[in-house]
Amino acid sequence: MDEKALQKKLDESIDYIRKQTAVQPEIALILGSGLGDFAETIDIEDKIPTAEIPHFPRSTVEGHKGYLVFGYLEKLPLMIVQGRTHYYEGHSIQDVGFVVRVMAELGVKVLLVTNAAGGVNPRFRPGDLMIIVDHINFLFNNPLIGPSIPEEARWPDMYNCYDESLVDLVEQTGIDLKIPLRKGVLFVSSGPSYETASEVRMVQRLGGDAVSMSTVPEVLIARARGIRVAGISCITNLATGISSQPLSHKEVTEIANQVKDKFQKLVHEVILRIGKQR
Ligand code: HPA
């Protein structure tokens, strides 16, 4: 695919979305495993099944509903990705990040990414929320490989990848709402297998605090487009070897469900404060 073909794909997706919604989002949110319910708490104007949008990959994971939700949080126009696609589902990494190219075309300036992650830092506990301060990309791939459109940086700088002022904003919101928050580095590999105990020891040595199978493709595209990024991980389990128990996707979604209230409260307030910052 060349640059023109990429632009054409984007144009066709945007044309379809613009026909479905008049909302012009400036802030976008990607909801991770088990965290999708937040979308129901906003004033929804339009809910578009991603399966109907040209060129969108289909989400196949249980606990992930595939919708783009457009609406308002106290008059703030939002776009929410409910049911992200993962690289391990077999999509190309460019397709996994495609939704962020769409966001950029729609005018999004700030992206809040969320995910479920395993705790590697021994101080972390299931149910903790972690502000992502940086990531380590262990996907051995990058969604920016291939054609790049003129609006995108060819060699995006990873300085301030997770915007420091947004990290501070999330941290302060946690303090004000009395929701304890961790801070840490997210280590991302493809999955779908969870890590071995030896891999988790490697992650510790390399400086990761939590492990996940998502987020990096979307964040890299966002940075190439100059979208500011904030990230919150829900620590749904202790990573293999940190915990002596086997882990399961059920455990991940159950813990995500347990932290739902504090997660939603935090995200709600974070979005309002980002809105006030504009
Ligand atoms: N490893 C990788 N991804 C995850 C985990 C984990 O332990 N928990 C939730 N997502």
Side-chain angles (χ1 to χ4, degrees):
M1 189 173 47
D2 62 8
E3 181 191 319
K4 274 206 185 106
L6 173 60
Q7 188 65 59
K8 184 165 177 284
K9 265 176 81 168
L10 263 174
D11 291 346
E12 285 167 5
S13 295
I14 298 290
D15 278 354
Y16 181 85
I17 292 166
R18 292 241 194 256
K19 282 189 194 123
Q20 309 299 316
T21 185
V23 177
Q24 306 222 7
E26 289 172 35
I27 301 174
L29 180 62
I30 300 179
L31 296 172
S33 279
L35 303 170
D37 287 356
F38 177 80
E40 317 298 339
T41 69
I42 72 163
D43 299 320
I44 298 177
E45 292 278 316
D46 302 290
K47 196 167 167 178
I48 311 175
T50 47
E52 290 171 14
I53 307 173
H55 310 300
F56 263 63
R58 317 276 173 255
S59 175
T60 60
V61 187
E62 200 188 319
H64 280 262
K65 305 168 188 168
Y67 295 99
L68 294 190
V69 179
F70 290 85
Y72 296 92
L73 193 67
E74 300 190 12
K75 303 210 171 88
L76 207 63
L78 295 184
M79 164 178 171
I80 302 183
V81 180
Q82 195 183 30
R84 63 146 58 84
T85 40
H86 296 84
Y87 188 39
Y88 62 69
E89 290 174 77
H91 308 294
S92 73
I93 194 159
Q94 289 79 9
D95 279 354
V96 176
F98 186 72
V99 67
V100 181
R101 287 189 154 120
V102 166
M103 281 172 195
E105 301 278 317
L106 291 172
V108 166
K109 302 284 182 280
V110 180
L111 170 63
L112 178 58
V113 276
T114 68
N115 58 41
V120 170
N121 183 320
R123 295 207 301 271
F124 290 4
R125 292 288 166 266
D128 281 354
L129 297 178
M130 180 188 90
I131 307 171
I132 305 171
V133 296
D134 207 354
H135 73 226
I136 298 174
N137 176 6
F138 231 66
L139 293 168
F140 302 107
N141 208 340
N142 189 309
L144 297 164
I145 292 174
S148 165
I149 52 179
E151 291 78 9
E152 288 170 11
R154 183 69 290 196
W155 301 281
D157 184 3
M158 288 296 118
Y159 172 78
N160 213 25
C161 181
Y162 295 83
D163 192 286
E164 270 177 46
S165 70
L166 293 176
V167 168
D168 291 347
L169 182 150
V170 179
E171 193 170 21
Q172 190 58 49
T173 308
I175 292 168
D176 295 343
L177 296 181
K178 299 193 169 51
I179 296 174
L181 298 176
R182 308 285 193 171
K183 274 159 94 176
V185 173
L186 188 70
F187 182 102
V188 173
S189 57
S190 70
S193 45
Y194 290 108
E195 301 70 27
T196 64
S198 303
E199 286 164 349
V200 169
R201 280 195 298 276
M202 174 193 75
V203 173
Q204 277 179 322
R205 287 193 188 141
L206 294 182
D209 292 294
V211 277
S212 179
M213 304 176 191
S214 68
T215 301
V216 159
E218 296 103 317
V219 169
L220 292 177
I221 302 261
R223 294 309 299 137
R225 291 295 293 247
I227 295 176
R228 293 165 68 212
V229 175
I232 302 171
S233 292
C234 170
I235 307 297
T236 51
N237 57 280
L238 300 180
T240 311
I242 309 277
S243 152
S244 49
Q245 310 282 323
L247 37 123
S248 67
H249 184 62
K250 187 161 169 273
E251 177 188 0
V252 169
T253 47
E254 270 172 17
I255 294 286
N257 203 33
Q258 279 172 28
V259 303
K260 199 162 96 175
D261 288 348
K262 75 171 173 181
F263 171 81
Q264 291 187 1
K265 218 168 119 191
L266 178 72
V267 169
H268 182 108
E269 185 60 24
V270 162
I271 290 172
L272 292 183
R273 291 187 187 192
I274 293 172
K276 285 199 189 108
Q277 244 195 8
R278 290 175 305 152

